[in-house]
Amino acid sequence: MISDSAARDIFGVSLGVHGIQAVWIDIDNRTGSPLYYLPVTTDQQYFSPLEVAWKVKGKFNKEGEQAVDRMFVERAMPVNLPPGEQTSGFVFTNRDLGIKVVNVVLLGGGKSWQTSFMVDVPGIKLDVEKVNFEELYQDHEYQDLSRDELKHWLATQTCCTTNEDQTSSGDPINFTLVGDSQLLLSAMVQRGWDLTERIHGGSIWKTTKSFLVGSSYRYSPVSSLYALERPQDLALQKARGNIHQRNHLRLWRAPVLCEGEPVWLGQISRDIGVRFTFKSPTLTTHKIDPDVDEARDYLLQDMIFSQRLAEFGYVRAMEPHTIASPGHNLTGDPFITDGLRLVMFFHQPMTPMHKVRDLGWEQPNRDRRDWLQQLEAAATTE
């Protein structure tokens, strides 16, 4: 993937200002069959070469415009890959900052090939960059647990996040990830999750501006919540229509492994609104959807679609909170939950959606009739 400045050197025009990022792909087809490259797997909303040319032409004469058309068409990555040949070119993707996952899928000869890799992209100050993961724990502090031992260990962990001095309880720690860290991050970024920007003057201004005008801010910072005696190691979010609405999650690297793989504790909720507050450095805070289980299970669906998730199960983390007796997070928002913590196991190679296995540990209650009864009871009381 090339930078904005490199794109100007190569193409003679700016791509970044148009939200376009050029990714260079080089494929050596050593099979005996022609292959077909699927650019939609690299970016579901990629730009065609002539579309890019149209966006950047500016004030060219007719001859100059034709030259721009030819340039982008000639340099674009072909979709047909002849056998025994090396083929390369640019795919014009949507511009990402922080981290970009490049996914490549090839079809041909009755087979398919898939690979992906992550690229660091400059342009924002990521919150995760302040964490030195090699120094979180000493090697001797990690316990390598079996799955049964992991279930027992998770049952001993606190149910919820806290404030810095651990005097107040916050949002539930409602999921756990097990697998290679790069594989986990790749799956999330591919599904549209963005790493969050560090809280600083620029990000505070962008957050406030987005709040005032109702625009989207993909990398908006998140406030610190605490688990394992520290703030989150990294946070990700999936922006929706505007800054008022997003799914966001926090992750903490745990001092355990499961069958040799890293383990992460996580907290996820769905933001449904924004309000001003003096309790946050950004002067704003999000109101969460009270149904935190819905956000938890949304993540499960999303990871199934990533085709990196192999197995999942649920373990008991806390007593249920109902509509009649909700829990509350640190900003006072109520939440309801069945009290289960989702545990997801990621493996290579890719796992088709129909082969993702439910381990059958605990079963979440998805019957909403209980909710209706509680809502009717609350209405009668009022």
Side-chain angles (χ1 to χ4, degrees), residues 229 235 301 307:
E229 301 183 347
Q301 298 171 57
Q307 298 189 71

Side-chain angles (χ1 to χ4, degrees), residues 163-178:
N163 57 356
E164 184 174 4
D165 59 11
Q166 303 181 41
T167 57
S168 298
S169 181
D171 301 87
I173 300 172
N174 51 2
F175 72 95
T176 300
L177 305 178
V178 182

Side-chain angles (χ1 to χ4, degrees), residues 26-35 80-87:
D26 191 335
I27 298 173
D28 188 3
N29 181 4
R30 298 182 181 180
T31 73
S33 303
L35 299 180
N80 296 305
L81 312 177
E85 294 186 15
Q86 189 167 345
T87 307

